Amino acid sequence: MVASEVGACWRLQPSIGLRYKELGRNQLTESGGGALALAVRSDELSSLRSMAGARIERRFDLGNGYRLTPAGRLFWTHELSDVTTSTTAAFVNRGAAMRTTSAKSGRDGAVVGIGTNLELPNGLVAYANYGAQVRDNTTAQAITAGLRFAW
């Protein structure tokens, strides 16, 4: 990755990448549901996603060993694998299988985020972040906060 200084001490870090993920689910059979109990087949889902974008941040020295670093990121993503998922299930007492398919989540999307780190003089870092992944019919959001200790 390459990082460059932009304007008054802003650091811009462009990035490109390719990410592969695989998720597997084992077969399961419900019990205790009588005639409504389901048997769900095992399945796998894979994703191959390209990403291109950048991260920008700036460090502010607050004095007495305190440093504040706000940051932002924006990435375009493109899904190269299948954009739908499906589940096949059947009632335990009856053999006819049912297949449900999810809504297509779209091939193109965005990953956005903002956050900040506050470095404390004792080696602790307090952080807070917001991130979102947005595609057609799909949105995932997360807010994280916590403390890290570096020695």
Side-chain angles (χ1 to χ4, degrees):
M1 291 189 196
V2 176
S4 63
E5 301 295 323
V6 178
C9 299
W10 284 95
R11 181 179 160 149
L12 178 66
Q13 185 178 32
S15 178
I16 60 172
L18 189 63
R19 177 181 292 171
Y20 177 77
K21 293 181 183 179
E22 186 172 280
L23 174 67
R25 179 187 62 224
N26 292 333
Q27 177 178 331
L28 68 96
T29 302
E30 295 178 328
S31 61
L36 298 178
L38 290 175
V40 180
R41 291 185 187 163
S42 62
D43 201 2
E44 289 186 2
L45 172 68
S46 62
S47 170
L48 180 61
R49 188 175 297 172
S50 62
M51 297 177 67
R55 174 183 166 85
I56 190 165
E57 66 180 27
R58 181 173 180 190
R59 180 179 288 182
F60 296 93
D61 188 356
L62 304 177
N64 297 324
Y66 292 88
R67 288 186 294 235
L68 181 69
T69 307
R73 66 185 179 280
L74 177 62
F75 288 87
W76 166 78
T77 65
H78 181 77
E79 179 61 55
L80 301 165
S81 291
D82 195 3
V83 293
T84 59
T85 61
S86 63
T87 300
T88 303
F91 291 112
V92 173
N93 296 333
R94 299 198 171 123
M98 303 168 282
R99 185 175 182 92
T100 58
T101 303
S102 69
K104 288 187 178 185
S105 60
R107 293 212 177 269
D108 295 308
V111 175
V112 298
I114 57 171
T116 190
N117 287 348
L118 176 62
E119 297 176 41
L120 308 174
N122 59 4
L124 282 175
V125 177
Y127 63 90
N129 296 293
Y130 167 77
Q133 295 184 28
V134 181
R135 295 190 299 166
D136 288 345
N137 297 319
T138 304
T139 301
Q141 301 179 67
I143 296 173
T144 57
L147 291 171
R148 283 190 302 265
F149 180 71
W151 63 92

